Coordinates of all heavy atoms in Angstrom, one line a residue:
M1 N 35.1 -12.5 -24.0 CA 33.8 -12.7 -24.7 C 32.9 -13.4 -23.8 O 31.7 -13.0 -23.6 CB 34.0 -13.6 -26.0 CG 32.7 -13.8 -26.8 SD 32.1 -12.3 -27.4 CE 32.1 -12.7 -29.1
A2 N 33.3 -14.4 -23.1 CA 32.3 -15.2 -22.2 C 32.0 -14.3 -21.0 O 30.8 -14.4 -20.6 CB 33.2 -16.4 -21.6
S3 N 32.9 -13.4 -20.6 CA 32.6 -12.4 -19.5 C 31.4 -11.6 -19.9 O 30.5 -11.1 -19.2 CB 33.8 -11.7 -19.1 OG 33.4 -10.8 -18.1
S4 N 31.5 -11.0 -21.1 CA 30.5 -10.2 -21.7 C 29.1 -10.8 -21.8 O 28.1 -10.2 -21.5 CB 31.0 -9.7 -23.1 OG 30.0 -8.8 -23.7
T5 N 29.1 -12.1 -22.2 CA 27.8 -12.8 -22.3 C 27.3 -13.0 -20.9 O 26.0 -12.9 -20.6 CB 28.1 -14.1 -23.0 OG1 28.6 -13.9 -24.3 CG2 26.8 -14.9 -23.1
K6 N 28.2 -13.3 -20.0 CA 27.7 -13.5 -18.6 C 27.2 -12.3 -18.0 O 26.0 -12.3 -17.3 CB 28.9 -14.0 -17.7 CG 28.6 -14.9 -16.7 CD 29.9 -15.2 -15.9 CE 29.9 -16.7 -15.4 NZ 31.1 -16.9 -14.7
N7 N 27.8 -11.1 -18.2 CA 27.2 -9.8 -17.8 C 25.8 -9.5 -18.4 O 24.9 -9.0 -17.8 CB 28.2 -8.7 -18.1 CG 29.4 -8.7 -17.2 OD1 29.3 -9.4 -16.1 ND2 30.5 -8.1 -17.6
S8 N 25.7 -9.8 -19.8 CA 24.5 -9.5 -20.4 C 23.4 -10.5 -19.8 O 22.2 -10.0 -19.6 CB 24.6 -9.9 -21.9 OG 25.5 -8.9 -22.4
L9 N 23.6 -11.7 -19.6 CA 22.6 -12.6 -19.0 C 22.2 -12.1 -17.6 O 21.1 -12.2 -17.2 CB 23.2 -14.0 -18.9 CG 23.2 -14.7 -20.3 CD1 23.8 -16.0 -20.2 CD2 21.8 -14.8 -20.9
S10 N 23.2 -11.7 -16.8 CA 22.9 -11.2 -15.5 C 22.1 -9.9 -15.5 O 21.1 -9.9 -14.8 CB 24.3 -10.7 -14.8 OG 24.6 -11.6 -13.8
L11 N 22.4 -9.1 -16.5 CA 21.4 -7.8 -16.6 C 20.0 -8.2 -17.0 O 19.0 -7.7 -16.5 CB 22.1 -6.8 -17.5 CG 23.3 -6.1 -17.0 CD1 23.9 -5.3 -18.1 CD2 22.9 -5.2 -15.9
L12 N 19.9 -9.2 -18.0 CA 18.6 -9.7 -18.4 C 17.8 -10.2 -17.3 O 16.7 -10.0 -17.1 CB 18.9 -10.6 -19.6 CG 17.6 -11.1 -20.2 CD1 16.8 -9.9 -20.9 CD2 17.9 -12.1 -21.4
F13 N 18.5 -11.1 -16.5 CA 17.9 -11.8 -15.3 C 17.3 -10.7 -14.4 O 16.3 -10.7 -13.8 CB 18.8 -12.7 -14.7 CG 18.3 -13.4 -13.5 CD1 17.2 -14.4 -13.5 CD2 18.7 -13.0 -12.2 CE1 16.7 -14.9 -12.4 CE2 18.1 -13.5 -11.0 CZ 17.1 -14.5 -11.1
M14 N 18.2 -9.7 -14.0 CA 17.8 -8.7 -13.1 C 16.6 -7.9 -13.6 O 15.7 -7.5 -12.9 CB 19.1 -7.7 -12.7 CG 20.0 -8.4 -12.0 SD 21.5 -7.4 -11.7 CE 21.0 -5.8 -11.6
A15 N 16.6 -7.6 -14.9 CA 15.4 -6.9 -15.5 C 14.1 -7.6 -15.3 O 13.2 -7.2 -15.0 CB 15.7 -6.6 -16.9
F16 N 14.2 -9.0 -15.6 CA 13.0 -9.8 -15.4 C 12.5 -9.9 -13.9 O 11.4 -9.8 -13.6 CB 13.3 -11.3 -15.8 CG 13.3 -11.5 -17.3 CD1 14.3 -12.1 -17.9 CD2 12.2 -11.0 -18.1 CE1 14.3 -12.2 -19.3 CE2 12.1 -11.2 -19.4 CZ 13.2 -11.8 -20.1
V17 N 13.5 -9.9 -12.9 CA 13.2 -9.8 -11.5 C 12.5 -8.5 -11.2 O 11.5 -8.5 -10.5 CB 14.3 -10.1 -10.7 CG1 14.1 -9.8 -9.2 CG2 14.9 -11.5 -10.8
L18 N 13.0 -7.5 -11.6 CA 12.4 -6.1 -11.4 C 11.0 -6.0 -12.0 O 10.1 -5.4 -11.4 CB 13.3 -5.0 -12.0 CG 14.6 -4.7 -11.2 CD1 15.5 -3.7 -11.8 CD2 14.2 -4.2 -9.7
M19 N 10.8 -6.6 -13.1 CA 9.5 -6.6 -13.9 C 8.5 -7.3 -13.0 O 7.4 -7.0 -12.8 CB 9.6 -7.0 -15.2 CG 10.2 -6.0 -16.1 SD 10.3 -6.4 -18.0 CE 9.9 -8.1 -18.1
A20 N 9.0 -8.5 -12.4 CA 8.0 -9.3 -11.6 C 7.7 -8.7 -10.4 O 6.5 -8.6 -10.0 CB 8.7 -10.7 -11.3
V21 N 8.6 -8.0 -9.8 CA 8.4 -7.2 -8.5 C 7.4 -6.1 -8.8 O 6.4 -5.9 -8.0 CB 9.7 -6.7 -7.9 CG1 9.4 -5.7 -6.8 CG2 10.5 -7.9 -7.3
A22 N 7.6 -5.3 -9.9 CA 6.7 -4.2 -10.2 C 5.4 -4.7 -10.4 O 4.4 -4.1 -10.1 CB 7.3 -3.4 -11.4
S23 N 5.3 -5.9 -11.2 CA 3.9 -6.3 -11.5 C 3.1 -6.8 -10.2 O 2.0 -6.6 -10.0 CB 4.1 -7.6 -12.4 OG 2.8 -8.2 -12.6
E24 N 3.9 -7.4 -9.2 CA 3.3 -7.8 -8.0 C 2.8 -6.6 -7.1 O 1.7 -6.6 -6.6 CB 4.4 -8.6 -7.2 CG 3.8 -9.3 -5.9 CD 2.7 -10.3 -6.3 OE1 2.8 -10.9 -7.4 OE2 1.8 -10.5 -5.5
L25 N 3.6 -5.5 -7.1 CA 3.2 -4.3 -6.4 C 2.0 -3.7 -7.1 O 1.2 -3.1 -6.4 CB 4.4 -3.3 -6.3 CG 5.5 -3.7 -5.4 CD1 6.6 -2.6 -5.5 CD2 5.0 -3.7 -3.9
A26 N 1.9 -3.7 -8.3 CA 0.8 -3.1 -9.1 C -0.6 -3.9 -8.7 O -1.6 -3.4 -8.7 CB 1.0 -3.3 -10.6
N27 N -0.4 -5.2 -8.3 CA -1.6 -6.0 -8.0 C -1.9 -6.0 -6.5 O -2.7 -6.7 -6.0 CB -1.4 -7.4 -8.5 CG -1.4 -7.4 -10.0 OD1 -2.1 -6.7 -10.6 ND2 -0.6 -8.3 -10.6
A28 N -1.1 -5.4 -5.7 CA -1.2 -5.3 -4.2 C -2.4 -4.6 -3.8 O -2.9 -3.7 -4.5 CB 0.0 -4.7 -3.6
S29 N -3.0 -5.0 -2.6 CA -4.1 -4.3 -2.0 C -3.8 -2.8 -1.9 O -2.5 -2.5 -1.7 CB -4.4 -4.9 -0.7 OG -4.9 -6.2 -0.8
S30 N -4.7 -1.9 -1.9 CA -4.3 -0.5 -1.8 C -5.4 0.1 -0.8 O -6.5 -0.3 -0.6 CB -4.5 0.2 -3.1 OG -5.8 0.1 -3.7
F31 N -4.9 1.2 -0.1 CA -5.7 1.9 0.9 C -5.6 3.4 0.5 O -4.5 4.0 0.5 CB -5.1 1.7 2.3 CG -6.0 2.2 3.3 CD1 -7.1 1.5 3.8 CD2 -5.8 3.5 3.9 CE1 -8.0 2.0 4.7 CE2 -6.6 4.0 4.8 CZ -7.7 3.3 5.3
T32 N -6.8 4.0 0.0 CA -6.8 5.3 -0.4 C -7.5 6.2 0.6 O -8.6 5.7 1.1 CB -7.6 5.5 -1.7 OG1 -6.9 4.7 -2.7 CG2 -7.7 6.9 -2.3
V33 N -6.9 7.3 1.1 CA -7.5 8.2 2.0 C -7.9 9.5 1.3 O -7.2 9.9 0.3 CB -6.7 8.5 3.2 CG1 -6.5 7.3 4.1 CG2 -5.2 8.9 2.8
Y34 N -9.0 10.2 1.6 CA -9.4 11.4 1.1 C -9.3 12.5 2.0 O -9.5 12.4 3.3 CB -10.9 11.2 0.6 CG -11.0 10.2 -0.5 CD1 -11.2 8.8 -0.1 CD2 -10.9 10.5 -1.8 CE1 -11.2 7.8 -1.0 CE2 -10.9 9.5 -2.7 CZ -11.2 8.2 -2.4 OH -11.2 7.2 -3.3
R35 N -9.0 13.7 1.5 CA -8.9 15.0 2.4 C -10.2 15.4 2.9 O -10.4 15.8 4.1 CB -8.3 16.0 1.5 CG -8.1 17.3 2.3 CD -7.3 18.3 1.4 NE -7.0 19.5 2.3 CZ -7.7 20.6 2.1 NH1 -8.6 20.7 1.2 NH2 -7.4 21.7 2.8
L36 N -11.3 15.2 2.1 CA -12.7 15.7 2.6 C -13.6 14.5 2.7 O -13.5 13.6 2.1 CB -13.2 16.6 1.5 CG -12.3 17.9 1.1 CD1 -13.0 18.6 0.0 CD2 -12.1 18.8 2.4
S37 N -14.6 14.7 3.7 CA -15.6 13.8 3.8 C -16.4 13.6 2.6 O -16.3 14.5 1.7 CB -16.6 14.1 5.0 OG -17.2 15.3 4.7
G38 N -17.0 12.5 2.4 CA -17.7 12.2 1.1 C -16.7 11.6 0.2 O -17.2 11.5 -1.1
C39 N -15.6 11.2 0.6 CA -14.5 10.7 -0.3 C -14.3 11.6 -1.5 O -14.3 11.1 -2.7 CB -14.9 9.2 -0.7 SG -14.9 8.0 0.6
S40 N -14.0 12.8 -1.2 CA -13.8 13.8 -2.2 C -12.5 14.6 -1.9 O -11.9 14.5 -0.8 CB -15.0 14.8 -2.4 OG -15.2 15.4 -1.2
G41 N -12.2 15.5 -2.8 CA -11.0 16.3 -2.6 C -9.8 15.5 -2.9 O -9.8 14.5 -3.6
Q42 N -8.6 16.0 -2.4 CA -7.3 15.3 -2.7 C -7.3 13.9 -2.1 O -8.0 13.8 -1.1 CB -6.2 16.2 -2.2 CG -6.1 17.5 -2.9 CD -5.0 18.4 -2.2 OE1 -5.0 18.5 -1.0 NE2 -4.1 18.9 -3.0
S43 N -6.6 13.1 -2.7 CA -6.5 11.7 -2.2 C -5.0 11.2 -2.2 O -4.2 11.9 -2.9 CB -7.3 10.8 -2.9 OG -6.8 10.6 -4.2
Q44 N -4.8 10.2 -1.4 CA -3.4 9.7 -1.4 C -3.7 8.1 -1.3 O -4.5 7.7 -0.5 CB -2.6 10.1 -0.2 CG -1.3 9.5 0.0 CD -0.3 10.1 -1.1 OE1 -0.3 11.3 -1.3 NE2 0.5 9.2 -1.7
T45 N -3.0 7.3 -2.2 CA -3.1 5.9 -2.1 C -1.8 5.2 -1.7 O -0.7 5.7 -2.0 CB -3.5 5.4 -3.6 OG1 -4.7 6.0 -4.0 CG2 -3.6 3.8 -3.6
Y46 N -1.9 4.3 -0.8 CA -0.9 3.5 -0.2 C -0.9 2.1 -0.5 O -2.0 1.5 -0.7 CB -0.9 3.7 1.3 CG -0.9 5.1 1.9 CD1 -2.1 5.7 2.2 CD2 0.2 5.8 1.9 CE1 -2.1 7.0 2.7 CE2 0.2 7.1 2.4 CZ -1.0 7.7 2.8 OH -1.1 9.0 3.2
R47 N 0.2 1.5 -0.7 CA 0.5 0.1 -1.0 C 1.7 -0.3 -0.3 O 2.8 0.3 -0.4 CB 0.6 -0.2 -2.5 CG -0.6 0.0 -3.3 CD -0.3 -0.3 -4.9 NE -1.5 -0.1 -5.6 CZ -1.9 1.0 -6.2 NH1 -1.2 2.2 -6.0 NH2 -3.0 1.2 -6.8
C48 N 1.6 -1.5 0.4 CA 2.8 -2.2 0.9 C 3.5 -1.4 2.1 O 3.9 -0.2 1.8 CB 3.8 -2.6 0.0 SG 3.1 -3.8 -1.2
G49 N 3.7 -2.0 3.3 CA 4.4 -1.4 4.3 C 3.6 -0.5 5.2 O 2.5 -0.3 5.0
C50 N 4.3 0.1 6.1 CA 3.8 1.1 7.1 C 3.8 2.5 6.5 O 4.8 3.0 5.9 CB 4.6 1.1 8.4 SG 3.9 2.3 9.5
N51 N 2.6 3.1 6.5 CA 2.4 4.5 5.9 C 1.7 5.3 6.9 O 0.6 4.9 7.5 CB 1.7 4.4 4.7 CG 2.4 3.5 3.6 OD1 3.2 3.9 2.8 ND2 1.9 2.3 3.6
N52 N 2.1 6.5 7.2 CA 1.4 7.5 8.0 C 0.4 8.2 7.0 O 0.7 8.5 5.9 CB 2.3 8.6 8.5 CG 3.2 8.0 9.6 OD1 2.8 7.2 10.4 ND2 4.4 8.5 9.7
L53 N -0.9 8.3 7.5 CA -1.9 8.8 6.6 C -1.9 10.3 6.6 O -1.8 11.0 7.5 CB -3.3 8.3 7.3 CG -3.5 6.8 7.3 CD1 -4.9 6.6 8.0 CD2 -3.3 6.1 6.1
L54 N -2.0 10.8 5.3 CA -1.9 12.2 5.0 C -3.2 12.8 5.3 O -3.4 14.0 5.7 CB -1.5 12.4 3.5 CG -1.3 13.8 3.1 CD1 -0.2 14.6 3.9 CD2 -0.9 13.7 1.6
Y55 N -4.3 12.2 4.9 CA -5.7 12.7 5.1 C -6.6 11.8 5.9 O -6.3 10.6 6.0 CB -6.4 12.8 3.7 CG -5.6 13.7 2.7 CD1 -5.2 13.1 1.4 CD2 -5.3 15.0 3.0 CE1 -4.5 13.9 0.6 CE2 -4.5 15.8 2.1 CZ -4.2 15.2 0.9 OH -3.4 16.0 0.0
M56 N -7.6 12.3 6.4 CA -8.5 11.5 7.3 C -10.0 11.8 7.0 O -10.9 11.6 7.9 CB -8.2 11.7 8.7 CG -6.8 11.0 9.1 SD -6.3 11.4 10.7 CE -5.4 12.9 10.4
G57 N -10.4 12.2 5.8 CA -11.8 12.6 5.5 C -12.6 11.4 5.1 O -13.8 11.5 4.9
G58 N -12.0 10.2 4.8 CA -12.6 9.1 4.4 C -11.6 8.1 3.7 O -10.5 8.5 3.6
Y59 N -12.1 6.8 3.5 CA -11.1 5.9 3.0 C -11.8 4.9 2.0 O -13.1 4.7 2.0 CB -10.4 5.1 4.1 CG -11.3 4.0 4.7 CD1 -11.4 2.8 4.2 CD2 -12.0 4.4 5.9 CE1 -12.2 1.8 4.8 CE2 -12.8 3.5 6.5 CZ -13.0 2.2 6.0 OH -13.8 1.3 6.6
R60 N -11.0 4.3 1.1 CA -11.5 3.2 0.3 C -10.4 2.2 0.3 O -9.2 2.5 -0.1 CB -11.7 3.7 -1.1 CG -12.4 2.6 -1.9 CD -12.8 3.2 -3.3 NE -13.5 4.5 -3.2 CZ -14.8 4.7 -3.0 NH1 -15.6 3.7 -2.6 NH2 -15.2 5.9 -3.0
F61 N -10.7 0.9 0.8 CA -9.7 -0.2 0.8 C -10.1 -1.2 -0.2 O -11.2 -1.7 -0.4 CB -9.7 -0.9 2.2 CG -8.7 -2.0 2.2 CD1 -7.4 -1.8 2.0 CD2 -9.2 -3.3 2.5 CE1 -6.5 -2.9 2.1 CE2 -8.3 -4.4 2.5 CZ -6.9 -4.1 2.3
T62 N -9.1 -1.4 -1.2 CA -9.3 -2.4 -2.2 C -8.5 -3.6 -1.9 O -7.3 -3.6 -1.9 CB -8.9 -1.8 -3.6 OG1 -9.6 -0.7 -3.8 CG2 -9.1 -2.8 -4.7
Y63 N -9.1 -4.7 -1.6 CA -8.6 -6.0 -1.1 C -8.2 -6.8 -2.3 O -9.1 -7.2 -3.1 CB -9.4 -6.7 -0.1 CG -8.8 -8.0 0.4 CD1 -7.8 -8.0 1.3 CD2 -9.3 -9.2 -0.1 CE1 -7.2 -9.2 1.8 CE2 -8.7 -10.4 0.4 CZ -7.8 -10.4 1.3 OH -7.3 -11.6 1.8
T64 N -6.9 -7.3 -2.5 CA -6.5 -8.2 -3.5 C -5.7 -9.3 -3.0 O -4.9 -10.0 -3.7 CB -5.8 -7.5 -4.6 OG1 -4.6 -6.9 -4.1 CG2 -6.6 -6.4 -5.3
G65 N -5.8 -9.6 -1.6 CA -5.1 -10.7 -1.0 C -4.1 -10.2 0.2 O -3.7 -11.0 0.9
Q66 N -3.9 -8.9 0.3 CA -3.1 -8.5 1.3 C -3.9 -7.6 2.3 O -4.7 -6.8 1.9 CB -1.9 -7.5 0.8 CG -1.1 -8.3 -0.3 CD -1.5 -8.3 -1.6 OE1 -2.4 -7.5 -2.0 NE2 -1.2 -9.4 -2.3
T67 N -3.8 -8.0 3.6 CA -4.6 -7.3 4.7 C -4.0 -5.9 4.9 O -2.9 -5.6 4.7 CB -4.6 -8.1 5.9 OG1 -3.3 -8.4 6.4 CG2 -5.3 -9.4 5.7
A68 N -4.8 -5.1 5.6 CA -4.4 -3.8 6.1 C -4.6 -3.6 7.5 O -5.8 -3.9 8.0 CB -5.1 -2.6 5.3
R69 N -3.7 -3.3 8.3 CA -3.8 -3.1 9.8 C -3.8 -1.6 10.0 O -2.9 -0.9 9.6 CB -2.7 -3.8 10.6 CG -2.9 -5.3 10.4 CD -1.9 -6.0 11.3 NE -2.2 -7.4 11.2 CZ -1.5 -8.3 11.8 NH1 -0.5 -8.0 12.6 NH2 -1.8 -9.6 11.6
M70 N -4.8 -1.1 10.8 CA -4.9 0.4 11.1 C -4.5 0.6 12.5 O -4.7 -0.1 13.4 CB -6.4 0.7 11.0 CG -7.1 0.2 9.7 SD -6.2 0.8 8.2 CE -6.1 2.5 8.3
Y71 N -3.8 1.8 12.7 CA -3.2 2.2 13.9 C -3.7 3.6 14.3 O -3.8 4.5 13.4 CB -1.8 2.2 13.9 CG -1.2 0.8 13.6 CD1 -1.0 0.3 12.4 CD2 -0.7 0.1 14.7 CE1 -0.5 -1.0 12.2 CE2 -0.2 -1.2 14.6 CZ -0.1 -1.7 13.3 OH 0.4 -3.0 13.1
N72 N -4.0 3.9 15.6 CA -4.3 5.2 16.1 C -3.1 6.1 16.3 O -3.2 7.2 16.7 CB -5.1 5.1 17.3 CG -6.5 4.6 17.0 OD1 -7.1 4.7 15.9 ND2 -7.2 4.0 18.1
T73 N -1.9 5.5 16.1 CA -0.7 6.2 16.2 C 0.1 6.3 14.9 O -0.2 5.4 14.0 CB 0.3 5.5 17.3 OG1 0.5 4.2 16.8 CG2 -0.4 5.5 18.6
G74 N 1.0 7.2 14.8 CA 1.9 7.3 13.6 C 2.9 6.1 13.6 O 3.1 5.5 14.6
N75 N 3.4 5.9 12.4 CA 4.5 4.9 12.3 C 4.1 3.5 12.7 O 5.0 2.7 13.1 CB 5.8 5.3 13.0 CG 6.2 6.7 12.4 OD1 6.3 6.9 11.3 ND2 6.6 7.5 13.3
C76 N 2.9 3.2 12.6 CA 2.3 1.8 13.0 C 2.9 1.3 14.4 O 3.1 0.1 14.5 CB 2.7 0.8 11.9 SG 2.1 1.3 10.2
L77 N 2.9 2.2 15.3 CA 3.4 1.9 16.7 C 2.3 1.3 17.5 O 1.1 1.7 17.4 CB 4.1 3.0 17.3 CG 5.3 3.6 16.6 CD1 5.7 4.9 17.3 CD2 6.4 2.5 16.6
G78 N 2.6 0.4 18.4 CA 1.6 -0.1 19.3 C 0.7 -1.2 18.6 O 1.1 -1.7 17.6
A79 N -0.4 -1.5 19.3 CA -1.3 -2.5 18.8 C -2.2 -1.9 17.6 O -2.6 -0.8 17.8 CB -2.1 -3.1 19.9
S80 N -2.4 -2.6 16.6 CA -3.4 -2.3 15.6 C -4.8 -2.3 16.2 O -5.1 -3.1 17.1 CB -3.3 -3.1 14.4 OG -3.6 -4.5 14.7
V81 N -5.7 -1.5 15.7 CA -7.0 -1.4 16.2 C -8.1 -1.9 15.3 O -9.2 -2.3 15.7 CB -7.4 0.1 16.5 CG1 -6.6 0.6 17.7 CG2 -7.3 1.0 15.4
T82 N -7.7 -2.1 14.1 CA -8.6 -2.8 13.1 C -7.8 -3.5 12.0 O -6.7 -2.9 11.7 CB -9.5 -1.7 12.4 OG1 -10.3 -1.0 13.4 CG2 -10.4 -2.3 11.4
T83 N -8.2 -4.6 11.5 CA -7.7 -5.3 10.3 C -8.6 -5.4 9.3 O -9.7 -5.9 9.5 CB -7.0 -6.6 10.8 OG1 -6.1 -6.4 11.8 CG2 -6.4 -7.3 9.6
F84 N -8.3 -5.0 8.1 CA -9.2 -5.2 6.9 C -8.7 -6.4 6.2 O -7.6 -6.5 5.8 CB -9.2 -4.0 6.0 CG -9.8 -2.7 6.5 CD1 -9.0 -1.7 6.9 CD2 -11.2 -2.7 6.7 CE1 -9.6 -0.5 7.5 CE2 -11.7 -1.6 7.2 CZ -11.0 -0.5 7.6
S85 N -9.6 -7.3 5.8 CA -9.4 -8.5 5.0 C -10.4 -8.6 4.0 O -10.5 -9.7 3.3 CB -9.3 -9.7 5.9 OG -10.4 -10.0 6.6
S86 N -11.0 -7.5 3.7 CA -12.0 -7.5 2.5 C -12.1 -6.0 2.0 O -11.8 -5.1 2.9 CB -13.3 -8.1 2.8 OG -14.0 -7.3 3.8
S87 N -12.6 -5.8 0.9 CA -12.7 -4.4 0.4 C -13.8 -3.7 1.1 O -14.7 -4.3 1.6 CB -13.0 -4.4 -1.1 OG -11.9 -5.0 -1.9
G88 N -13.7 -2.5 1.3 CA -14.7 -1.6 2.0 C -14.3 -0.1 1.9 O -13.2 0.2 1.4
S89 N -15.2 0.7 2.3 CA -15.0 2.1 2.4 C -15.9 2.9 3.4 O -16.9 2.2 3.9 CB -15.3 2.8 0.9 OG -16.7 2.6 0.6
R90 N -15.5 4.0 3.7 CA -16.2 4.9 4.6 C -16.0 6.3 4.2 O -14.8 6.7 4.2 CB -15.8 4.7 6.0 CG -16.7 5.7 7.0 CD -16.4 5.4 8.4 NE -17.2 6.5 9.1 CZ -16.9 6.8 10.3 NH1 -16.0 6.4 11.0 NH2 -17.7 7.8 10.8
C91 N -16.9 7.0 3.9 CA -16.8 8.4 3.3 C -17.0 9.5 4.3 O -17.6 10.5 4.1 CB -17.6 8.6 2.0 SG -17.0 7.6 0.7
A92 N -16.6 9.2 5.6 CA -16.7 10.2 6.6 C -15.3 10.1 7.4 O -14.5 9.2 7.2 CB -17.9 9.8 7.6
G93 N -15.2 11.1 8.3 CA -13.8 11.1 9.0 C -13.5 9.9 9.7 O -14.2 9.1 10.2
V94 N -12.2 9.6 9.7 CA -11.6 8.5 10.4 C -10.5 9.0 11.4 O -10.0 10.1 11.2 CB -11.0 7.5 9.4 CG1 -12.0 6.8 8.6 CG2 -9.9 8.0 8.6
G95 N -10.2 8.2 12.5 CA -9.2 8.7 13.4 C -7.9 8.0 13.3 O -7.0 8.3 14.1
W96 N -7.7 7.0 12.4 CA -6.4 6.3 12.3 C -5.4 7.3 11.8 O -5.5 8.3 11.1 CB -6.6 5.2 11.3 CG -7.7 4.3 11.6 CD1 -7.9 3.6 12.8 CD2 -8.7 3.8 10.7 NE1 -9.0 2.8 12.7 CE2 -9.5 2.9 11.4 CE3 -9.0 4.1 9.3 CZ2 -10.6 2.3 10.8 CZ3 -10.1 3.5 8.8 CH2 -10.8 2.6 9.5
R97 N -4.2 6.9 12.2 CA -3.0 7.8 11.9 C -2.0 7.1 11.0 O -1.2 7.8 10.4 CB -2.2 8.2 13.2 CG -3.1 9.1 14.1 CD -3.4 10.4 13.5 NE -4.1 11.3 14.5 CZ -5.3 11.8 14.2 NH1 -5.9 11.5 13.1 NH2 -5.9 12.5 15.1
S98 N -2.1 5.8 10.9 CA -1.2 5.0 10.0 C -1.8 3.7 9.6 O -2.8 3.2 10.3 CB 0.2 4.8 10.7 OG 0.1 4.1 11.9
V99 N -1.3 3.1 8.5 CA -1.8 1.9 8.0 C -0.6 1.0 7.6 O 0.4 1.5 7.1 CB -2.6 2.0 6.8 CG1 -2.0 2.7 5.7 CG2 -3.2 0.7 6.3
N100 N -0.6 -0.3 8.0 CA 0.4 -1.3 7.6 C -0.2 -2.2 6.6 O -1.0 -3.1 7.0 CB 1.1 -2.0 8.7 CG 2.3 -2.7 8.3 OD1 2.7 -2.7 7.1 ND2 2.8 -3.5 9.2
L101 N 0.1 -2.2 5.3 CA -0.4 -3.1 4.3 C 0.6 -4.3 4.2 O 1.8 -4.0 3.8 CB -0.4 -2.3 3.0 CG -1.6 -1.4 2.9 CD1 -1.3 -0.1 2.2 CD2 -2.9 -2.0 2.5
Q102 N 0.2 -5.4 4.4 CA 1.0 -6.7 4.3 C 1.2 -7.0 2.9 O 0.3 -7.4 2.2 CB 0.3 -7.7 5.1 CG -0.2 -7.4 6.5 CD 0.9 -7.0 7.4 OE1 1.8 -7.7 7.6 NE2 0.7 -5.9 8.1
C103 N 2.5 -7.0 2.5 CA 2.8 -7.4 1.2 C 4.1 -8.3 1.2 O 4.8 -8.3 2.1 CB 3.1 -6.2 0.3 SG 1.8 -5.2 -0.1

């Protein structure tokens, strides 16, 4: 009986931890890239970690406390060329190949 209660409490605790992590990710800064200039067409949004950019027609960065470092190479290799620490956008082509969102 005690073992069953212990397992139930363990599962409940894990569920609360997962909910907290999911909530934190939902509030993380985000970097959205667009396929076409004018910030139109298909888009892809990235949050947390290193991401290779799928599109380069424009971007919108929403800052909520986590910075974004931009790289001219894939896989966030080498030195970053730009760091965003506030929200911003550009609806024309960009040359970056990857972004690392600090979370």
Side-chain angles (χ1 to χ4, degrees):
M1 182 66 121
S3 178
S4 175
T5 301
K6 215 178 209 182
N7 286 342
S8 294
L9 288 175
S10 249
L11 287 174
L12 184 61
F13 177 74
M14 287 174 36
F16 282 129
V17 168
L18 286 174
M19 287 183 348
V21 168
S23 174
E24 191 64 29
L25 287 176
N27 294 325
S29 295
S30 63
F31 191 82
T32 301
V33 290
Y34 297 89
R35 183 171 182 257
L36 304 173
S37 61
C39 293
S40 61
Q42 296 173 313
S43 65
Q44 180 72 44
T45 300
Y46 304 99
R47 291 181 179 85
C48 295
C50 178
N51 302 275
N52 289 321
L53 301 180
L54 182 59
Y55 304 122
M56 289 172 271
Y59 72 87
R60 187 172 319 278
F61 178 61
T62 304
Y63 179 76
T64 60
Q66 301 80 27
T67 60
R69 292 186 179 179
M70 309 310 297
Y71 296 83
N72 288 337
T73 59
N75 301 314
C76 303
L77 297 174
S80 63
V81 294
T82 301
T83 300
F84 291 109
S85 56
S86 63
S87 294
S89 64
R90 178 176 179 202
C91 293
V94 296
W96 305 308
R97 300 293 185 239
S98 58
V99 60
N100 189 5
L101 290 144
Q102 311 297 311
C103 292

